[in-house]
């Protein structure tokens, strides 16, 4: 249906890449706009209405980090950062400044489409099948922490805590399985909704550290979400 087409902004200075991506996204049923430098990308991101932004890191005029930071001041549109292999360390930084995900060049279109789909689905609040049957409680209380799943709110000691979508879903997932330990691979599948892609484990770690910074008194000595050495994460009973 034409009126429900999702719209994606591709910010990429290499025309060959942006063309291949654009053609493939359009064949997959998306609408696309392309910006070829960081300034143009930022302007389009702020003035257009997009369901997702695919953001290259190395761009003329303004790099992907800067664009991401600026966009995040006003919008929470999902952003997938595109980095070259040699920029691997930059991925983590990208996630820390507010990107939702990343892919590494050269990427396969299949992987890219899966990531795009998962990020849009998550953002639009559509239920992820694998998670749905297990998580349907309206309210979970763990000591000071109250997770109100009707209104998607979290508070601690009566004070509201602002969480991103993924931080919320990660917390909610663990909280609805108190006492169970989950490996990062499992969390990636359950919470992010995609299968184990190489390198994506860092996504779990980064989101976890942001979540802990918000809900724990001392994030280095967490009381709510515990790391079980070489096993995974859990919320104790
Ligand atoms: Ca580039």
């Amino acid at each position: 249906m034409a009126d429900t087409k999702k719209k994606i902004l591709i910010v990429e200075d290499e025309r060959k890449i942006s063309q291949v991506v654009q053609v493939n996204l359009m064949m997959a049923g998306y609408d696309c706009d392309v910006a070829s430098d960081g300034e143009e990308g930022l302007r389009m991101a702020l003035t257009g209405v997009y369901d997702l932004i695919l953001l290259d890191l190395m761009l003329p005029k303004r790099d992907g980090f800067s664009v991401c930071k600026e966009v995040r001041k006003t919008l929470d549109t999902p952003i997938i950062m595109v980095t070259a292999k040699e920029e691997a360390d930059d991925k983590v930084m990208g996630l820390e400044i507010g990107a939702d995900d990343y892919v590494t060049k050269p990427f396969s279109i299949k992987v890219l489409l899966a990531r795009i789909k998962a990020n849009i689905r998550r953002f639009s609040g559509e239920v992820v099948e694998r998670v749905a049957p297990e998580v349907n409680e309206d309210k979970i209380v763990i000591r000071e922490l109250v997770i109100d799943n009707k209104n998607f709110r979290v508070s601690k000691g009566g004070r509201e805590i602002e969480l991103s979508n993924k931080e919320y879903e990660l917390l909610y997932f663990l909280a609805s399985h108190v006492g169970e330990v989950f490996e990062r691979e499992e969390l990636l599948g359950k919470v992010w909704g995609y299968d184990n892609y190489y390198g994506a484990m860092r996504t779990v770690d980064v989101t976890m550290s942001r979540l802990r910074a918000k809900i724990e008194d001392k994030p280095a000595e967490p009381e709510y979400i515990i790391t079980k050495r070489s096993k995974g994460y859990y919320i104790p009973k």
Side-chain angles (χ1 to χ4, degrees):
M1 279 182 289
D3 57 338
T4 57
K5 265 192 182 179
K6 303 285 187 194
K7 199 165 182 186
I8 296 174
L9 174 62
I10 303 164
V11 189
E12 170 64 69
D13 59 314
E14 285 169 72
R15 189 172 287 272
K16 249 200 259 166
I17 296 180
S18 66
Q19 276 176 345
V20 168
V21 171
Q22 184 176 21
V23 165
N24 278 280
L25 291 185
M26 287 171 85
M27 284 197 309
Y30 296 101
D31 266 339
C32 294
D33 284 342
V34 177
S36 55
D37 65 60
E39 288 290 352
E40 189 186 20
L42 178 60
R43 187 176 48 75
M44 288 172 76
L46 296 179
T47 54
V49 177
Y50 296 102
D51 296 287
L52 184 134
I53 299 167
L54 199 59
L55 181 59
D56 187 30
L57 177 60
M58 299 304 283
L59 291 164
K61 296 189 186 171
R62 193 187 258 275
D63 71 21
F65 287 144
S66 163
V67 174
C68 182
K69 253 183 170 162
E70 281 303 306
V71 170
R72 274 288 168 270
K73 285 182 183 168
T74 48
L75 296 173
D76 54 0
T77 313
I79 295 176
I80 299 180
M81 291 281 266
V82 181
T83 64
K85 248 198 185 117
E86 61 271 24
E87 299 155 359
D89 287 347
D90 295 332
K91 289 170 191 167
V92 176
M93 186 178 162
L95 292 170
E96 277 163 0
I97 62 169
D100 297 274
D101 206 348
Y102 57 80
V103 292
T104 306
K105 283 179 186 173
F107 48 79
S108 84
I109 288 292
K110 204 176 149 204
V111 167
L112 181 67
L113 284 171
R115 296 287 186 90
I116 287 174
K117 202 171 160 195
N119 278 279
I120 289 180
R121 189 174 50 183
R122 170 129 297 98
F123 183 69
S124 61
E126 286 170 41
V127 177
V128 177
E129 255 174 68
R130 275 178 283 186
V131 180
E134 300 169 288
V135 292
N136 50 19
E137 286 177 66
D138 282 345
K139 195 173 175 184
I140 298 175
V141 180
I142 300 163
R143 302 192 300 279
E144 294 260 270
L145 206 59
V146 178
I147 305 166
D148 169 2
N149 199 46
K150 236 179 177 168
N151 302 302
F152 301 105
R153 286 196 170 144
V154 175
S155 63
K156 189 182 169 190
R159 197 173 45 84
E160 194 154 328
I161 300 173
E162 278 206 32
L163 298 180
S164 72
N165 280 352
K166 286 210 181 107
E167 290 158 8
Y168 179 87
E169 290 187 21
L170 180 59
L171 175 63
Y172 186 75
F173 180 78
L174 289 170
S176 53
H177 298 86
V178 158
E180 284 180 60
V181 181
F182 292 94
E183 291 175 7
R184 292 182 299 169
E185 287 85 344
E186 288 177 278
L187 291 173
L188 198 64
K190 301 274 189 191
V191 178
W192 276 258
Y194 43 76
D195 296 327
N196 180 7
Y197 289 119
Y198 177 77
M201 296 306 126
R202 284 296 296 168
T203 305
V204 178
D205 295 338
V206 170
T207 305
M208 181 64 76
S209 80
R210 283 195 261 166
L211 174 60
R212 276 174 166 162
K214 292 179 181 178
I215 65 166
E216 302 282 358
D217 290 338
K218 293 181 199 161
E221 299 163 40
E223 295 174 76
Y224 286 96
I225 301 177
I226 309 299
T227 306
K228 188 153 193 167
R229 197 172 290 272
S230 74
K231 283 269 196 301
Y233 299 105
Y234 72 107
I235 295 181
K237 279 184 184 165

